[in-house]
Amino acid sequence: MLRRGYEGKRSLVLSLDQSELPEFLGYLERRMQGRNYSCKYSTSSGLKITLFGDREELRDSEALVRRSYRNFKIVRNPVGGLYRYPSEWLTEHGGVSMSLLTLSLEVAGQRAEWKGDLLQTELEPQEILDLMSELRSLVEEIKYEVRQRRVREVLVAVAVSSGVSPLDVLELAEEEGFLERDEQGIWLFKVDPRVAIAELRKKILGGD
């Protein structure tokens, strides 16, 4: 937040409770790396953020602050019992594809609906963060064995919802004839992926 040489400044005032400040300022600092700005909080008016730089820098910094504020507020305020997660926030915190996250929620029986750039689900923020962390670990476990993204996502989604290794899911999928490997080492579905998901979970979890 050092004020090196700048040509102008611009201020924004954001409505934040004092209890929200530490989390928001930490989030903002991570997103504003390399930009010049200062912050001042007042219980009566909120958080005043002053941006420094040339015209283009001010425009970009203001847009970044406003997106950060929007994301922060949306994530913390569920509507109708559903939490809403901007894709930008998920990408920053997750490191997994939106298709994998969505499929994993659906396979686990969780609500996962997209409205614009917002994922709506019952999972609370910490639960979403924990899920994405687990998904990252499972992807790492299987990424060299299965390079086809769609196949890998199906295996990981079944694994995370069933509490097993994706490598075990792969082995079972091959044994059951749901997947086969061609001469180039590429894994291919022999059945509809949705059918494979249902049948694999039934085998793993012992359902009828």
Side-chain angles (χ1 to χ4, degrees):
M1 297 197 304
L2 296 176
R3 302 186 196 176
R4 294 186 289 272
Y6 64 87
E7 299 176 15
K9 66 180 181 179
R10 185 177 302 174
S11 295
L12 304 83
V13 177
L14 306 178
S15 177
L16 286 163
D17 293 334
Q18 196 164 8
S19 61
E20 297 176 310
L21 273 182
E23 185 176 350
F24 178 73
L25 289 177
Y27 177 49
L28 185 65
E29 184 175 1
R30 291 192 297 273
R31 304 201 73 202
M32 293 285 282
Q33 289 183 4
R35 300 175 186 268
N36 296 322
Y37 70 103
S38 66
C39 300
K40 183 178 180 180
Y41 182 76
S42 168
T43 54
S44 59
S45 59
L47 179 65
K48 181 179 180 180
I49 299 176
T50 302
L51 308 170
F52 304 94
D54 60 29
R55 183 175 300 176
E56 184 176 353
E57 289 171 338
L58 290 174
R59 183 179 63 248
D60 292 346
S61 294
E62 180 178 356
L64 184 56
V65 170
R66 292 191 183 281
R67 289 201 312 273
S68 300
Y69 178 70
R70 169 189 180 265
N71 293 349
F72 181 81
K73 281 293 190 178
I74 285 176
V75 167
R76 292 174 63 94
N77 293 283
V79 174
L82 294 176
Y83 285 89
R84 300 166 299 157
Y85 299 99
S87 57
E88 184 179 44
W89 185 91
L90 291 168
T91 300
E92 290 171 345
H93 289 79
V96 298
S97 70
M98 296 301 96
S99 57
L100 173 57
L101 176 60
T102 305
L103 180 62
S104 298
L105 288 167
E106 291 173 344
V107 171
Q110 297 286 346
R111 187 167 176 176
E113 297 177 358
W114 284 93
K115 290 194 174 181
D117 73 325
L118 300 179
L119 172 64
Q120 298 188 124
T121 182
E122 297 98 336
L123 267 65
E124 298 179 2
Q126 190 57 53
E127 292 175 314
I128 279 285
L129 292 174
D130 290 344
L131 173 59
M132 291 192 294
S133 176
E134 188 172 1
L135 290 175
R136 283 198 305 274
S137 297
L138 295 178
V139 168
E140 284 294 318
E141 190 175 336
I142 200 172
K143 68 179 182 180
Y144 296 115
E145 179 65 27
V146 179
R147 298 183 181 276
Q148 296 72 49
R149 175 173 170 174
R150 179 57 176 169
V151 175
R152 186 171 62 238
E153 290 187 351
V154 165
L155 297 175
V156 168
V158 171
V160 77
S161 65
S162 307
V164 299
S165 165
L167 293 172
D168 292 337
V169 180
L170 172 60
E171 182 179 350
L172 179 61
E174 186 178 18
E175 289 175 357
E176 295 295 322
F178 302 143
L179 282 173
E180 67 177 359
R181 204 170 196 170
D182 69 10
E183 294 178 354
Q184 285 74 43
I186 297 174
W187 288 101
L188 302 171
F189 280 111
K190 297 177 67 178
V191 299
D192 185 288
R194 292 285 175 176
V195 172
I197 288 171
E199 292 300 319
L200 287 168
R201 279 176 49 81
K202 188 184 299 184
K203 291 283 185 180
I204 294 168
L205 300 176
D208 295 329

